[in-house]
Amino acid sequence: SVALLPLTLPASLLFPRPTPSIDGDRLPADDDPDVMDIGGIERLCEDLGVAVDGPTVLVLAWKLGAKRMGFFDKHEWMTGMAQLKTDSREKLVALLPSLDEAFNTAETAREIYRWAFGFCKESATGMWRLLLQSSSSATAFRHLAGLVDFLESRRGAAGAPRVVSRDQWSSLLDFAAAVPDDGVMDGYDEAGAWPVLFDEYVEWRRERGSTST
């Protein structure tokens, strides 16, 4: 078995059940005894020195196979840490740079991006903004900044999209690979099988005649 991660803050602070940590500390049980909620994740991030709403935590959640945003259950945590061969705070800190660089690999960026749709239940633009915080996002997710600006500019307008479908979300990667990120948008085929959202976005960009950066 793999021990709970020995953090500067005892692991028992992360999972509220009175479970022994490496230090032997215990806390009273809570309503969800096997779940690290947002409070526990915030304490984890503070201890590790990373932003709770940044891309590093998103990649960690992907590595752990997390099913819900803002929560890690104990099985996800234990299994994920075992797969990462990480059983101490020091090892997890040493792993952080590789998490930050995950988007530098095109295939990994695609895997995280596809997974993120099901992980994010509330706001597509919110998740896109989080992805944009990655230092490699301009390469991995071309057009993302422009698309977010477009959707924000249309908010509340008649006929404006209120949700982003899985097809629209997934098609962005192929769209980004096929269409240059400039005001001309040369290479975009209006007769192609793109979601209507991209037709509207391209028209908006061409009217502006500017890049999304």
Side-chain angles (χ1 to χ4, degrees):
S1 63
V2 179
L4 285 173
L5 191 67
L7 302 168
T8 302
L9 290 167
S12 57
L13 284 172
L14 305 178
F15 295 97
R17 171 177 287 176
T19 302
S21 72
I22 298 278
D23 309 88
D25 294 332
R26 289 168 172 80
L27 283 179
D30 205 339
D31 292 338
D32 229 341
D34 289 323
V35 174
M36 184 194 303
D37 62 11
I38 188 61
I41 293 174
E42 287 174 348
R43 291 190 287 270
L44 170 67
C45 291
E46 182 179 356
D47 190 67
L48 296 176
V50 299
V52 70
D53 58 351
T56 301
V57 179
L58 180 69
V59 177
L60 178 61
W62 171 68
K63 288 281 191 180
L64 297 181
K67 297 178 179 63
R68 294 188 294 163
M69 178 174 281
F71 299 91
F72 296 147
D73 68 41
K74 193 171 291 187
H75 175 74
E76 290 169 348
W77 179 264
M78 303 290 280
T79 302
M81 289 297 115
Q83 291 174 344
L84 292 171
K85 297 179 172 59
T86 301
D87 58 3
S88 70
R89 177 186 182 279
E90 290 71 25
K91 288 182 181 179
L92 183 53
V93 169
L95 186 70
L96 293 179
S98 69
L99 299 181
D100 293 337
E101 296 167 1
F103 294 112
N104 291 334
T105 305
E107 187 53 41
T108 301
R110 280 178 170 266
E111 288 182 20
I112 297 171
Y113 182 82
R114 293 191 186 102
W115 164 84
F117 181 87
F119 186 62
C120 176
K121 302 295 185 183
E122 297 182 2
S123 169
T125 54
M127 178 58 75
W128 279 335
R129 288 192 184 280
L130 192 158
L131 291 168
L132 282 170
Q133 294 181 40
S134 166
S135 60
S136 57
S137 62
T139 300
F141 307 118
R142 191 167 60 176
H143 286 293
L144 192 50
L147 190 58
V148 168
D149 288 344
F150 165 67
L151 290 172
E152 292 292 341
S153 74
R154 295 284 311 280
R155 179 177 292 181
R162 288 189 280 182
V163 297
V164 172
S165 69
R166 182 179 291 276
D167 179 55
Q168 292 167 340
W169 179 278
S170 300
S171 295
L172 176 62
L173 298 175
D174 294 328
F175 175 81
V179 182
D181 189 9
D182 56 32
V184 179
M185 310 290 276
D186 186 36
Y188 184 73
D189 181 8
E190 290 85 349
W194 297 111
V196 173
L197 174 65
F198 294 139
D199 293 333
E200 296 173 346
Y201 166 64
V202 169
E203 181 180 359
W204 179 78
R205 286 289 303 279
R206 285 174 174 170
E207 288 175 354
R208 296 178 72 213
S210 62
T211 64
S212 63
T213 56

